Amino acid sequence: SLWSKDFPHASLERESCMPDRIAVDLLPEALGWLAPTLAQRLCPSIETAFPGLPEVTAQNLRLYQATVLRYDASTAPGPVSTPVHQDFSVVTMTIPLNDPTEYDGGGTWINPLHLAVKPPIGHALAHAGRVWHAGQPVTNGTRYALAMFFHSSGHVDHGRRFEQRATSLIAKKKIVDACEELTFSL
């Protein structure tokens, strides 16, 4: 199976209750849809949602990661969720891939709003990556979502670069090297 539960920053206990994921890079049909949709609809929509920010223009946005998440309540020892966190992105976008009536719970909790947003199919949720947010627990059924993380050619996020290098080292079981990488970033 292409699905994994590999979350480098989560404990094994926490990881067991997190969603399965698969990189869109491994899904050729999804890539065929995503490439033109980014240029024609998604990036212009993000620019409209964040007016007046020069780093968030359709021309400056660069997708650096796209992942399909599967919150399957039947495969975990408890509700499936992602903990409260921030992303190393300028903008994060989540697109629901199935109808919210197919599962109980779910949605994306946004700290400044103090509520979970559960957009219907055909809509997306975009927020600044540094906003504290979480994937709300799915208690029954299965929720599918496409999570996309954008950086901007008009903004260099050194913290994201250090985090990506450290995460790569952790995945290779080079914990001491990862600690040195993160220590260097301070």
Side-chain angles (χ1 to χ4, degrees), residues 10-147:
S11 68
L12 290 178
E13 179 182 345
R14 178 67 192 118
E15 194 173 80
S16 69
C17 291
M18 292 178 74
D20 300 316
R21 65 184 186 173
I22 184 169
V24 171
D25 302 18
L26 301 175
L27 304 169
E29 290 179 19
L31 281 175
W33 168 84
L34 187 57
T37 305
L38 276 170
Q40 296 166 8
R41 303 209 40 210
L42 300 180
C43 289
S45 295
I46 292 171
E47 180 177 0
T48 300
F50 294 88
L53 296 176
E55 66 271 12
V56 186
T57 63
Q59 294 77 23
N60 284 346
L61 289 171
R62 302 291 182 265
L63 178 67
Y64 74 86
Q65 184 180 0
T67 304
V68 176
L69 300 172
R70 177 177 63 187
Y71 293 76
D72 186 350
S74 70
T75 64
V80 182
S81 64
T82 52
V84 176
H85 65 282
Q86 295 175 309
D87 298 325
F88 284 92
S89 61
V90 172
V91 175
T92 298
M93 178 180 270
T94 305
I95 299 176
L97 300 178
N98 64 324
D99 193 296
T101 62
E102 296 178 25
Y103 54 89
D104 296 330
T108 303
W109 179 80
I110 303 291
N111 184 52
L113 301 176
H114 299 289
L115 60 88
V117 179
K118 208 169 167 178
I121 293 230
H123 292 78
L125 170 65
H127 60 84
R130 302 309 288 166
V131 167
W132 289 98
H133 63 284
Q136 286 292 94
V138 172
T139 57
N140 187 47
T142 304
R143 172 189 180 210
Y144 291 93
L146 174 61

Side-chain angles (χ1 to χ4, degrees), residues 144-175:
Y144 291 93
L146 174 61
M148 294 180 289
F149 306 93
F150 295 87
H151 68 264
S152 171
S153 62
H155 172 79
V156 177
D157 186 345
H158 296 289
R160 179 183 57 80
R161 290 182 180 180
F162 281 115
E163 188 268 345
Q164 285 179 327
R165 288 198 301 258
T167 298
S168 175
L169 291 168
I170 290 167
K172 295 174 186 170
K173 308 288 187 221
K174 296 181 178 181
I175 306 302

